[in-house]
Amino acid sequence: MTNMSRFAEPMAQLIDELKKLPGVGSKSAQRLAFHILRSSDEDATLLADAIRDCKAKLHLCSVCNNITDVDPCTYCSNPTRNQRLVCVVEEPTNITAIEKGKSFNGVYHVLHGTLSPLHGVGPEHLRISNLVKRIDSGEVDEVILATNPTVEGEATAHYLSQVIRRPNVKVTRIATGIPAGADIEYADEVTILKAMEGRREL
Amino acid sequence: MTNMSRFAEPMAQLIDELKKLPGVGSKSAQRLAFHILRSSDEDATLLADAIRDCKAKLHLCSVCNNITDVDPCTYCSNPTRNQRLVCVVEEPTNITAIEKGKSFNGVYHVLHGTLSPLHGVGPEHLRISNLVKRIDSGEVDEVILATNPTVEGEATAHYLSQVIRRPNVKVTRIATGIPAGADIEYADEVTILKAMEGRREL
């Protein structure tokens, strides 16, 4: 009715909602909205349902804080995995990355963040308590700190190493160095320094 | 229960659905899904509802084929716009782009595509018939062909100019040339050629 150069209301609404997603600007939101409009009714319903289900059915594993629809999660309830070897990661997505390596057969603990005083994130904002509980009840032999080798990740690893230090628990940190297949030529100084520091005898 | 390195089922389902969107790969789908999972219940519901509403409430304007929730659309029913000046565009999104220019006060006709023999798109796949009907009932003074200056867009404009040619209807084509604010240095040959061809006396 107005002279405004806008889309029809349901379209404008969808574009607005899509724009709230990370990395989706006005143009992308518009492209996605038109794609959804043109997709089959079935596909649109599947997407809408998946969004609802995701919120309704998923929660955090009471043991490791991984995102799961069963509790404990499939890692924590898997008898073929070493339940005494715990790999601590920042985010649930990191688990997929580590699983891709196919070399780790222990279980996980998800912090859901890193310490970041600048952003006001202190230890109380991370999910650490159930890790400490697992360690104190003697269920753990080794904790691998697999937070990112960033300033925040390193600080978090350092903090955790203090908090979880116990006589019979080994605390380790994943190696920082030149990525496999990469060229030393293009590695930054910190990476080269870390790679040198972490050198091993052959 | 299995040893598979996958997300919980509702998460995997949402990621699969998001991956169907254009320009969304595995990594982006994962990032979007985690964002949705972490957003408020309200935001997730708004997004899911917007997707449903968009499919349920939107249809094409019977006059101009624009996407709308009312029929005729806000452009076609607007008495302050020149209903006898019709701008033909490829897609509904093109309307927003032209409206941004704030120089056009006519109405639109959306083709929903371009001729593309290589992809098997012929005139029968475009929405041309209601444009011809409008012209034949003497409702139109001028048709501006605003398809893109691409091979397909030019072919479509050429084809349409033949189909809608009538004694009392002016058929025009938007100008191709160097974009405003751009450097001639970086313009391609075809654009320079077109800009030269389209030169006007000052």
Side-chain angles (χ1 to χ4, degrees), chain B residues 81-94:
Chain B
R81 298 188 77 110
N82 182 355
Q83 298 283 336
R84 303 188 64 81
L85 174 61
V86 177
C87 178
V88 177
V89 294
E90 296 178 11
E91 302 292 346
T93 42
N94 300 149

Side-chain angles (χ1 to χ4, degrees), chain A residues 3 22 42-43 88 91 95 99 115 120 128 158 160 172 183 192 194 198 201:
Chain A
N3 207 8
E42 198 201 332
D43 270 355
V88 177
E91 302 293 345
I95 294 180
E99 286 295 304
L115 294 181
I128 298 174
H158 181 76
L160 277 180
T172 56
D183 194 327
I192 289 184
K194 295 272 182 180
E201 217 169 315

Side-chain angles (χ1 to χ4, degrees), chain A residues 10 16-17 24 31 37 39 60 65-66 78-80 83 90 111 114 117 134 148 159 161 163 169 177 181 183 187-188:
Chain A
D16 280 350
E17 293 305 323
V24 178
R31 204 174 77 244
L37 185 65
S39 64
L60 300 188
N65 307 327
N66 184 20
N78 188 335
T80 70
Q83 300 284 336
E90 296 179 12
L111 297 170
T114 46
R134 265 162 110 180
N148 290 327
Y159 171 81
S161 71
V163 173
V169 178
D183 194 327
D188 64 290

Side-chain angles (χ1 to χ4, degrees), chain A residues 38-39 49 52 55 91, chain B residues 38-39 49 52 55 91:
Chain A
R38 275 172 191 162
S39 64
D49 287 348
R52 285 169 190 279
K55 287 298 289 183
E91 302 293 345
Chain B
R38 274 172 192 163
S39 64
D49 287 348
R52 284 169 191 280
K55 287 298 288 182
E91 302 292 346

Side-chain angles (χ1 to χ4, degrees), chain B residues 142-183:
Chain B
E142 179 177 351
V143 177
I144 303 172
L145 299 173
T147 53
N148 290 326
T150 56
V151 174
E152 287 89 358
E154 293 289 0
T156 309
H158 180 76
Y159 171 81
L160 277 180
S161 71
Q162 306 294 316
V163 172
I164 63 178
R165 192 165 299 284
R166 302 284 184 282
N168 294 316
V169 178
K170 201 166 149 189
V171 178
T172 57
R173 177 86 177 105
I174 52 163
T176 306
I178 318 291
D183 194 327

Side-chain angles (χ1 to χ4, degrees), chain A residues 157-174:
Chain A
H158 181 76
Y159 171 81
L160 277 180
S161 71
Q162 308 293 315
V163 173
I164 63 178
R165 192 164 300 282
R166 301 285 183 282
N168 294 316
V169 178
K170 202 167 151 190
V171 178
T172 56
R173 177 86 176 106
I174 52 162

